[in-house]
Amino acid sequence: MSRSIMDLSIGGYVPGDSFLHRLDPRTKLLGMLSMLVGAFCSESLEAAAISVAAAAMLAALTGAGWRIWAWGLWRFKWMLLIVFLMNLFFHSSGAAPHIGPHQGPFSGEVVRSSLALSLRLISAIMVSLALTFTTTPREMTLGFWRLASPLKRLRVPVDEFGMIMMLAMRFIPLVQEELRNTIDAQKARGVDFGHGPIVSRARNLLALLVPALHGVLRRADHLAIAMTARGYRPGQPRTEYRPLRFSLRDLIALLLLLAFTALQCYQPVFIFPAISSLT
Amino acid sequence: MEIRVDKLTHWYNPGTSLQVSALEDVSFIVPAGKVLGILGGTGSGKTTLIKHLNGLLTPTQGRVLLDGKDVETYGPGLGRKVGVVLQRPERQLFDETVFRDISFVLRRFTALDQAEISLRVRRACELVGLDLEAVGDRSPHALSDGEKRKTAIAGVLVNEPDVLVLDEPAVGLDPPSMADVIRLLDGMKQAGDRTIVIVSHDMGPFLTLLDSLLVLNAGRVSAFGSPGEVCAGLSDDPVMRNYLPRLALLVHDLAERGFPVGLDAFTIETLAEQLVVHAGHSEVGP
């Protein structure tokens, strides 16, 4: 496990002042949704490649730098590999081509669809990371809150869900910190997590999970007391220190993203006929 | 075991927008069997520094040598040679009973037999002043905070490390438990077979134990030397003065005003004795 970027966690925010940082969180949430729809509404390899390219442009716009991006994506290597292999082995369509006298194991179609699925997943991960890298949990919750507020008329407790969501997001890095501290503490007394037979390694995990869980519950307890002490009451209206502002920039960004998704879902072949005719 | 830290620099998240320099060009030596104190405010790099001693962190630049050998070449056994008691170590307790928790590393990662393990656990508990007969079979979570801390320290001592590092050992302890920790460290210092590093932002209670004192400020060494020299040297610095133990400041300020006190009169008793002698009385009352 790389320890080089230890302060950035899953769902972590990378401070900055890029174009994406300055967008309204509602724009980014809707934009992400639109990009995800775009990535998954076409099955072709070309469309998947275009999704990745678009996601890469977003990645460049976050201003986080390639190291953070490389580290962020590298963590998904096993998931991507497993998805790729599962699709390769269990999604059969078409006949495998003959290579010389032998029949190959997979048809070209399956390889293409597996690749396309992996690319679509990569673009989905990148779009999500672009959102979390540039949006603080606070902004994200505010955005979600506002987008969902029409549901209040249907008596959906939007405010409470928003608070739960914000606390959950705030807790992800805390849980990671708790785990990291526990790993360090156990290593410091000579526990060696990386070696030994797999069964005993799994048993060593108890030395990690029990204190970490204990720590997280303690934090949750403190949090509840702190919230009560500051007068938080479920169901009471809350004010905002920094209200959201939807600007012209947001409108343009959102229209661009929706147009991109529409094009991708409608018929990617029309946009890049040259590529499709090659394959 | 001799500790030699050579031009150590550590950056978190190097090469990214989150890069933070935690240590810059830190060098010092602790001879085997001696006691070093590391003093500094929050964020001065104390914890980052000691995490290099047992390989939890690796240097961005520079080297850490134990008995002349780079820590990176020690391999998995390093954690048992260099025992580090991190901040709030009672939070690392997890096993069903105190005995099982203290002996966890010995049971899992060494080939020692049951008798030897029992002996070592007994020795470690004796050192920290934990009554094994009384608490050995209880859950560590049922203990008082002071006993939890002792259990956690015993869990490190049980490896019989050549180097013992304690990060803020005094934080959150009541005065009697604090006295126990000082007594434990003093006992180990007298035995002389271990190199000890004590990290704290309040060095007052540990001053008499120290052979040398390292003061960190914003990741750099402010001063390094004998506690008397370091405290005397930094007493005139308006910023660092606030980190020094009050007794050391008093000693320095008295000496500066012409009172004949030794620069290492770091207990109330020795200071009082010297002042009484100076005042012309022949003996100190009880």
Side-chain angles (χ1 to χ4, degrees):
Chain A
M1 195 171 75
S2 158
R3 291 195 57 96
S4 60
I5 304 187
M6 56 177 290
D7 290 335
L8 185 67
S9 31
I10 297 173
Y13 172 70
V14 184
D17 191 32
S18 71
F19 179 74
L20 283 183
H21 280 90
R22 278 175 278 155
L23 281 182
D24 188 293
R26 285 169 291 183
T27 315
K28 286 187 268 188
L29 279 166
L30 289 176
M32 178 185 85
L33 212 58
S34 143
M35 293 276 290
L36 291 183
V37 170
F40 283 92
C41 75
S42 167
E43 296 224 322
S44 79
L45 187 54
E46 296 80 15
I50 292 167
S51 295
V52 171
M57 280 163 65
L58 273 189
L61 278 178
T62 59
W66 67 270
R67 269 176 208 270
I68 289 181
W69 272 99
W71 171 83
L73 285 172
W74 186 244
R75 292 176 306 172
F76 293 94
K77 57 185 182 294
W78 295 115
M79 184 189 102
L80 289 168
L81 186 70
I82 288 168
V83 166
F84 178 76
L85 291 177
M86 294 281 266
N87 198 67
L88 202 57
F89 283 106
F90 298 113
H91 184 97
S92 56
S93 68
H98 289 269
I99 306 167
H102 306 288
Q103 194 176 26
F106 310 111
S107 72
E109 205 176 318
V110 166
V111 173
R112 281 171 59 87
S113 84
S114 304
L115 267 180
L117 180 63
S118 300
L119 285 181
R120 285 204 300 272
L121 273 177
I122 290 176
S123 82
I125 292 168
M126 288 175 78
V127 169
S128 316
L129 286 180
L131 174 72
T132 57
F133 280 178
T134 59
T135 317
T136 60
R138 210 190 140 60
E139 289 177 321
M140 197 105 72
T141 321
L142 271 183
F144 164 83
W145 224 309
R146 288 303 195 73
L147 286 175
S149 57
L151 292 175
K152 274 188 206 166
R153 300 225 179 108
L154 302 174
R155 293 178 177 264
V156 177
V158 173
D159 290 341
E160 281 73 29
F161 279 138
M163 180 55 80
I164 292 171
M165 182 177 139
M166 181 161 84
L167 293 181
M169 297 195 34
R170 191 63 197 85
F171 256 67
I172 293 171
L174 289 181
V175 171
Q176 284 186 311
E177 190 192 312
E178 201 72 54
L179 272 176
R180 225 150 30 206
N181 287 344
T182 316
I183 291 174
D184 279 355
Q186 301 295 20
K187 277 187 180 168
R189 70 193 268 204
V191 176
D192 181 8
F193 290 106
H195 294 81
I198 201 114
V199 178
S200 90
R201 262 200 262 179
R203 291 223 313 253
N204 293 343
L205 280 183
L206 268 187
L208 195 58
L209 295 179
V210 174
L213 196 63
H214 199 243
V216 168
L217 291 178
R218 187 181 48 235
R219 279 185 199 250
D221 215 26
H222 290 178
L223 180 73
I225 293 171
M227 282 171 71
T228 316
R230 289 176 200 186
Y232 176 79
R233 299 265 181 293
Q236 297 293 304
R238 292 165 49 78
T239 53
E240 286 162 20
Y241 178 59
R242 225 179 294 168
L244 300 181
R245 227 175 297 147
F246 195 86
S247 61
L248 182 65
R249 176 170 44 210
D250 292 292
L251 189 66
I252 296 172
L254 196 55
L255 287 179
L256 276 175
L257 285 171
L258 289 175
F260 172 74
T261 304
L263 273 174
Q264 233 191 345
C265 288
Y266 182 59
Q267 203 43 282
V269 189
F270 285 155
I271 326 174
F272 292 95
I275 299 180
S276 337
S277 65
L278 280 175
T279 50
Chain B
M1 218 174 212
E2 180 204 66
I3 305 171
R4 182 187 290 262
V5 171
D6 192 19
K7 294 196 171 75
L8 176 64
T9 291
H10 190 88
W11 296 339
Y12 287 112
N13 310 329
T16 70
S17 52
L18 301 173
Q19 177 172 318
V20 180
S21 165
L23 290 175
E24 287 288 341
D25 204 21
V26 171
S27 301
F28 62 88
I29 299 174
V30 194
K34 296 292 181 188
V35 183
L36 168 76
I38 301 179
L39 174 68
T42 40
S44 60
K46 305 185 298 283
T47 302
T48 304
L49 174 56
I50 58 167
K51 282 184 176 175
H52 284 84
L53 298 181
N54 66 343
L56 284 179
L57 292 175
T58 48
T60 307
Q61 277 162 32
R63 288 186 308 168
V64 177
L65 307 171
L66 296 177
D67 274 348
K69 202 170 150 210
D70 199 313
V71 286
E72 289 178 60
T73 61
Y74 270 88
L78 180 65
R80 293 197 298 274
K81 277 206 170 57
V82 181
V84 179
V85 181
L86 288 173
Q87 284 170 42
R88 301 258 168 200
E90 55 276 17
R91 293 185 182 167
Q92 80 202 22
L93 303 175
F94 74 98
D95 220 327
E96 290 154 40
T97 69
V98 170
F99 181 89
R100 286 180 61 83
D101 200 289
I102 295 175
S103 62
F104 177 72
V105 172
L106 295 185
R107 285 185 288 121
R108 312 286 272 162
F109 301 102
T110 64
L112 299 178
D113 60 31
Q114 196 59 45
E116 172 72 16
I117 289 177
S118 290
L119 184 70
R120 282 214 196 181
V121 172
R122 204 161 296 281
R123 262 204 306 247
C125 287
E126 235 162 66
L127 264 177
V128 298
L130 192 67
D131 186 356
L132 191 62
E133 303 304 323
V135 299
D137 292 327
R138 289 170 62 191
S139 159
H141 297 292
L143 303 179
S144 74
D145 281 352
E147 286 170 325
K148 278 185 196 169
R149 171 100 27 123
K150 287 178 187 169
T151 307
I153 297 178
V156 172
L157 287 178
V158 81
N159 298 322
E160 309 197 334
D162 296 325
V163 177
L164 179 66
V165 184
L166 300 115
D167 193 358
E168 300 287 4
V171 166
L173 287 188
D174 59 7
S177 307
M178 180 74 203
D180 282 346
V181 170
I182 305 269
R183 207 171 306 129
L184 151 75
L185 292 173
D186 198 40
M188 278 195 287
K189 181 189 164 133
Q190 300 310 328
D193 47 1
R194 259 189 203 121
T195 313
I196 302 174
V197 178
I198 301 169
V199 177
S200 183
H201 61 255
D202 176 14
M203 211 40 100
F206 306 107
L207 264 186
T208 48
L209 292 170
L210 305 183
D211 293 304
S212 54
L213 177 61
L214 177 81
V215 182
L216 284 180
N217 185 27
R220 292 175 183 277
V221 178
S222 275
F224 175 58
S226 79
E229 286 164 18
V230 168
C231 291
L234 290 180
S235 293
D236 296 323
D237 183 325
V239 178
M240 296 318 293
R241 192 180 157 86
N242 299 316
Y243 290 107
L244 297 179
R246 306 214 60 80
L247 202 57
L249 285 179
L250 182 61
V251 168
H252 169 263
D253 293 352
L254 282 173
E256 199 158 67
R257 282 167 180 73
F259 287 88
V261 287
L263 280 181
D264 50 357
F266 286 144
T267 65
I268 293 177
E269 289 80 7
T270 41
L271 184 60
E273 235 163 70
Q274 294 186 3
L275 287 179
V276 164
V277 169
H278 176 66
H281 294 274
S282 53
E283 61 184 57
V284 186

